Amino acid sequence: MTKQEPLSFTGIIKNAWQYRYTLILITATATIATYGITFLLPPEFKTTAVIYPTAPVNSAKGLLDQTSSSEGLSEFGTEDEAEQLMEVISGINLRRKVADRLDLWGHFKINKKDPKKNFYFDSKWEKNITLNLTKFNALRIEVYDIDPQTSASIANTIAEEADSAYRSARKIRAVAAYNAIATTKKIAFEEYQKHIDSLTFYNKLGVINVEQQMKELYRVKAEVTAAGSRDKNARIERELEVLKKYSAAVFGLESYITEKQREIIAIEQNEKIAMLEAMQEIPSIFNIDKAEVPEVKAYPKRALVSISTGIAAFILGLFILLFKSYLTNEVFNSGKPDTNR
């Protein structure tokens, strides 16, 4: 009994040559069969759309400020905005809107009355649609479908709905901000009116312009004192007492009202900005490349699939033959004399 030589590259070549006709038959059969099977597979067409998010600028503020530059409205977003846009497109709400707009339920042959319809649809969606961020912070949308027109429609509709969803999210925030500012403005006006009423009360008491009144009363008092008129002097003293008693309150009210006026002006400016943000329809994305209807199929690539299958069949066949040889020489015939092998 002789011991089998260790397996080496030379040994593999020798075994492959020994079984060359069998391996050729296996490889040819697998290649031809696979090539024929590819004709039974439905072809898939690939299309691509590329979009950029816009920079997060307050466009309404830029429109109101005549001296500011509107350059920010045409700037591309950063990596953060690109990732946010990708999250928006990956959301369930967006894919449902696309499905309803294009009737993808029927296209994917999914019964909308099926309790698992969303599971089937999401599985099909994730298989046929891929999202990738490029190194330049653009979002690439790749769509595979058996119908070339539908693949382009899906990619372009995703881009449109992404813009709409992005703007809707911003609009919700703008409306909430507008409501908060409107409430703040109402409170400020109520406080302003309250202090105006208090100032009006002091005005009715004769305290109108403390500084001017003081100056005038002291001038008249000096003249009356010089003339020796006690009645007029007493009346002037009473008026001075009123001014002295309420002057601090009037000064405080006037200062508060002035500051409140400035605050209300600023609030009204912010209110205009929030209102414009809520009403505007400025796009939130740049559609760099719209998806075009593909002219040639992307899958299956018959030659590539057939050759790959043939190579795999050759390797598998060689492994089986080597394993068979090993079993024959080392296992089943291990206890027999060499003459019987």
Side-chain angles (χ1 to χ4, degrees):
M1 182 179 66
T2 60
K3 189 175 181 180
Q4 188 180 21
E5 297 180 359
L7 187 63
S8 63
F9 179 75
T10 304
I12 293 175
I13 296 298
K14 288 181 178 179
N15 278 275
W17 181 255
Q18 180 182 355
Y19 297 107
R20 59 187 179 278
Y21 297 114
T22 303
L23 291 174
I24 291 173
L25 179 62
I26 292 173
T27 303
T29 302
T31 302
I32 295 172
T34 302
Y35 190 82
I37 292 172
T38 56
F39 284 95
L40 302 177
L41 299 175
E44 290 189 354
F45 297 85
K46 173 188 173 183
T47 188
T48 303
V50 179
I51 59 178
Y52 266 101
T54 58
V57 296
N58 194 331
S59 53
K61 185 175 181 180
L63 293 172
L64 286 176
D65 188 358
Q66 300 297 325
T67 61
S68 66
S69 171
S70 59
E71 182 178 326
L73 298 177
S74 59
E75 290 182 353
F76 291 151
T78 62
E79 183 179 356
D80 291 338
E81 285 72 51
E83 290 177 352
Q84 291 171 6
L85 180 59
M86 189 171 184
E87 288 297 327
V88 170
I89 295 180
S90 302
I92 298 297
N93 292 333
L94 185 139
R95 66 177 64 178
R96 296 290 182 267
K97 289 181 180 179
V98 174
D100 292 337
R101 278 186 58 179
L102 302 178
D103 189 24
L104 295 182
W105 304 98
H107 179 69
F108 292 154
K109 295 180 174 57
I110 299 174
N111 186 358
K112 296 184 72 173
K113 295 182 180 179
D114 192 324
K116 297 182 179 180
K117 65 180 185 301
N118 291 332
F119 170 78
Y120 296 138
F121 179 83
D122 291 339
S123 299
K124 191 73 173 178
W125 179 281
E126 292 169 3
K127 176 185 175 183
N128 290 12
I129 299 167
T130 58
L131 306 174
N132 296 296
L133 288 178
T134 69
K135 62 180 180 179
F136 301 109
N137 298 325
L139 181 61
R140 186 186 302 275
I141 305 170
E142 295 181 352
V143 179
Y144 290 84
D145 197 82
I146 58 176
D147 180 61
Q149 180 62 55
T150 301
S151 66
S153 298
I154 291 175
N156 290 325
T157 304
I158 289 174
E160 293 172 7
E161 289 296 335
D163 181 37
S164 176
Y166 220 45
R167 283 189 286 111
S168 296
R170 291 180 177 178
K171 186 172 184 178
I172 291 173
R173 293 185 61 185
V175 170
Y178 175 79
N179 293 333
I181 292 172
T183 302
T184 303
K185 177 183 175 182
K186 180 181 178 182
I187 295 173
F189 262 114
E190 290 175 352
E191 294 176 350
Y192 174 80
Q193 190 59 49
K194 178 181 177 180
H195 288 80
I196 286 290
D197 293 341
S198 298
L199 185 60
T200 301
F201 169 76
Y202 291 121
N203 291 159
K204 290 180 179 180
L205 294 177
V207 184
I208 300 173
N209 189 326
V210 176
E211 184 178 355
Q212 187 65 30
Q213 285 179 283
M214 283 282 193
K215 186 184 296 185
E216 185 64 22
L217 284 174
Y218 277 116
R219 185 188 66 79
V220 174
K221 181 180 180 181
E223 293 177 356
V224 170
T225 301
S229 177
R230 293 183 178 180
D231 293 337
K232 291 182 179 181
N233 194 32
R235 189 180 66 182
I236 290 172
E237 284 293 338
R238 287 195 297 271
E239 292 182 11
L240 285 172
E241 286 297 324
V242 172
L243 288 175
K244 292 176 182 179
K245 183 177 181 180
Y246 299 114
S247 60
V250 170
F251 276 129
L253 286 171
E254 289 177 343
S255 177
Y256 181 88
I257 290 171
T258 301
E259 290 299 321
K260 187 60 66 175
Q261 286 174 337
R262 294 173 182 171
E263 179 184 339
I264 291 174
I265 291 173
I267 292 175
E268 289 178 340
Q269 181 73 3
N270 291 332
E271 185 181 32
K272 292 178 182 178
I273 292 173
M275 181 176 64
L276 285 175
E277 285 286 340
M279 294 173 58
Q280 71 177 349
E281 295 297 332
I282 298 176
S284 296
I285 66 169
F286 298 104
N287 201 335
I288 304 301
D289 286 328
K290 285 190 175 182
E292 297 182 349
V293 178
E295 298 175 347
V296 295
K297 63 180 177 60
Y299 178 85
K301 296 184 181 296
R302 293 190 177 91
L304 180 61
V305 173
S306 300
I307 292 173
S308 300
T309 304
I311 294 173
F314 175 83
I315 295 173
L316 179 61
L318 180 59
F319 173 79
I320 293 174
L321 291 173
L322 290 174
F323 187 67
K324 174 180 174 296
S325 178
Y326 171 80
L327 292 178
T328 301
N329 295 319
E330 297 294 330
V331 178
F332 299 115
N333 294 332
S334 60
K336 297 180 181 180
D338 294 343
T339 56
N340 294 335
R341 292 192 183 184

